[in-house]
Amino acid sequence: MAQKKKYLSKNQKIVLDIIEKSAQPMKAYSILFNVQKKGLKAPPQVYRALDKLVEIGKIHKIESRNAFIACRNSACTITNATAFSICESCEDVKEISSSKLSKYLSNFQDKEGMKFNKYNLEFFGLCKKCK
Amino acid sequence: MAQKKKYLSKNQKIVLDIIEKSAQPMKAYSILFNVQKKGLKAPPQVYRALDKLVEIGKIHKIESRNAFIACRNSACTITNATAFSICESCEDVKEISSSKLSKYLSNFQDKEGMKFNKYNLEFFGLCKKCK
DNA sequence: ATTACAATGTTATAATATAACAATAAAAGA
DNA sequence: TCTTTTATTGTTATATTATAACATTGTAAT
């Protein structure tokens, strides 16, 4: 289980802040560009903050896009069971919070009866606007 | 729907061949290294073959690992509904073929009733050996 | 034969991410 | 308090993953 942290460090706050202000996932170097005025000059500073924020569930990585999105889900308790919808036209990304879906996937067993403590699911299609 | 292609080109065959021989996902530059003796010298040659092979469903990309695995599923008809289990210790990857799971996910609708024509699901945990 | 399209070869470079190390700061234990 | 441990920071350099751009060749369809 990922640690619950009460306080974020300075760099972590700066990075989280910019991601939360964005409606859409942000790429690491776009974040870097945006936080340079705040003194974060080099990639490792951003990547370290990103790593920590992912670890504690404040943000999620959209693997197919190499981008990071703020978690708006149930006070960010979900770090190990993530699902997203991604519009293949406008790249709009939404986090899906469906207890039915998460129950189904958390209980899923493979052919050998194995269960998994973690998953990431990315749905693709066209959003309302683009359809 | 991805095209069904009867014949692969020379480079596509070479790249597919090396991936099929590997029990585990291969990274693009590892593939490149392995096919240099066959005349593929530069990244674009490999990436182009990979793109096409993904498109026609002969291989899948494991997004969280930036690696490519051969499809062993039902004659590779599934290019748009993929699920994998990934061992976080030994990095063993298996494609999951469960018609129950794929039906469940293909029929999944989000809160707005939207359906998706494509998804990718990656489960994480410890495999039998590593547990 | 001509046209279109797919695939190839090549060079260069963009985009994403980490290694390694020195220095500070914050938290926890004596 | 102090001192020890752990987390965080700053920095430079470099590794890894992926694509742009363009000239050329091969293949299939008209």
Side-chain angles (χ1 to χ4, degrees):
Chain A
M1 189 72 179
Q3 308 280 45
K4 275 290 136 185
K5 270 185 59 166
K6 272 195 183 156
Y7 303 111
L8 298 177
S9 75
K10 176 180 136 264
N11 290 359
Q12 289 158 15
K13 267 179 229 154
I14 292 171
V15 169
L16 178 58
D17 189 54
I18 186 99
I19 297 174
E20 282 182 335
K21 279 184 180 142
S22 167
Q24 289 306 310
M26 291 188 77
K27 305 215 146 208
Y29 276 73
S30 157
I31 294 166
L32 176 59
F33 177 80
N34 276 276
V35 297
Q36 271 172 344
K37 59 193 80 124
K38 305 230 172 183
L40 281 84
K41 294 181 199 153
Q45 297 175 294
V46 168
Y47 278 101
R48 285 191 293 228
L50 289 172
D51 287 349
K52 207 47 119 178
L53 292 168
V54 166
E55 190 188 322
I56 63 178
K58 288 287 187 187
I59 64 173
H60 304 300
K61 182 171 187 183
I62 309 299
E63 294 286 357
S64 66
R65 298 297 187 262
N66 298 318
F68 301 86
I69 193 172
C71 178
R72 323 271 185 194
N73 233 346
S74 51
C76 296
T77 56
I78 304 172
T79 72
N80 54 353
T82 47
F84 304 94
S85 65
I86 303 171
C87 175
E88 287 183 302
S89 170
C90 70
E91 293 293 320
D92 179 78
V93 174
K94 286 205 187 69
E95 185 164 3
I96 293 171
S97 61
S98 156
S99 57
K100 245 184 120 179
L101 177 64
S102 62
K103 265 177 206 157
Y104 183 88
L105 291 175
S106 298
N107 290 322
F108 178 81
Q109 298 186 15
D110 71 7
K111 283 175 175 166
E112 293 157 1
M114 178 170 167
K115 279 196 179 189
F116 304 92
N117 56 34
K118 195 173 157 188
Y119 65 78
N120 179 55
L121 170 58
E122 299 181 4
F123 281 108
F124 305 93
L126 292 178
C127 74
K128 270 187 183 171
K129 272 191 192 172
C130 294
K131 196 145 41 186
Chain B
M1 188 73 181
Q3 308 279 42
K4 275 290 138 187
K5 271 185 59 167
K6 271 194 181 158
Y7 302 112
L8 297 177
S9 75
K10 176 177 137 265
N11 289 1
Q12 289 159 14
K13 267 180 227 154
I14 292 171
V15 169
L16 178 58
D17 190 54
I18 187 100
I19 297 174
E20 281 182 336
K21 278 182 180 145
S22 167
Q24 289 306 310
M26 293 188 76
K27 305 214 147 210
Y29 276 73
S30 157
I31 294 166
L32 176 58
F33 179 80
N34 276 276
V35 298
Q36 272 172 343
K37 59 193 83 121
K38 305 231 174 184
L40 281 85
K41 293 179 200 155
Q45 296 175 294
V46 168
Y47 278 102
R48 284 191 293 228
L50 289 172
D51 286 349
K52 206 48 121 177
L53 292 167
V54 165
E55 190 188 321
I56 64 178
K58 289 288 188 187
I59 64 174
H60 303 299
K61 183 170 186 183
I62 309 299
E63 294 287 357
S64 66
R65 300 297 185 261
N66 297 317
F68 299 86
I69 193 171
C71 178
R72 323 271 185 196
N73 233 345
S74 52
C76 297
T77 55
I78 305 173
T79 72
N80 54 352
T82 48
F84 305 93
S85 66
I86 302 172
C87 175
E88 287 183 303
S89 171
C90 72
E91 293 293 319
D92 179 79
V93 174
K94 286 205 185 70
E95 186 165 2
I96 293 172
S97 60
S98 156
S99 57
K100 244 184 122 180
L101 177 64
S102 61
K103 265 176 208 158
Y104 183 87
L105 293 175
S106 299
N107 289 322
F108 178 81
Q109 298 185 14
D110 72 8
K111 283 175 176 166
E112 295 158 0
M114 179 170 167
K115 279 196 176 189
F116 304 93
N117 56 35
K118 197 173 158 187
Y119 66 78
N120 179 55
L121 170 58
E122 299 181 5
F123 281 108
F124 305 92
L126 293 177
C127 74
K128 269 186 182 172
K129 274 190 189 172
C130 294
K131 195 146 43 187

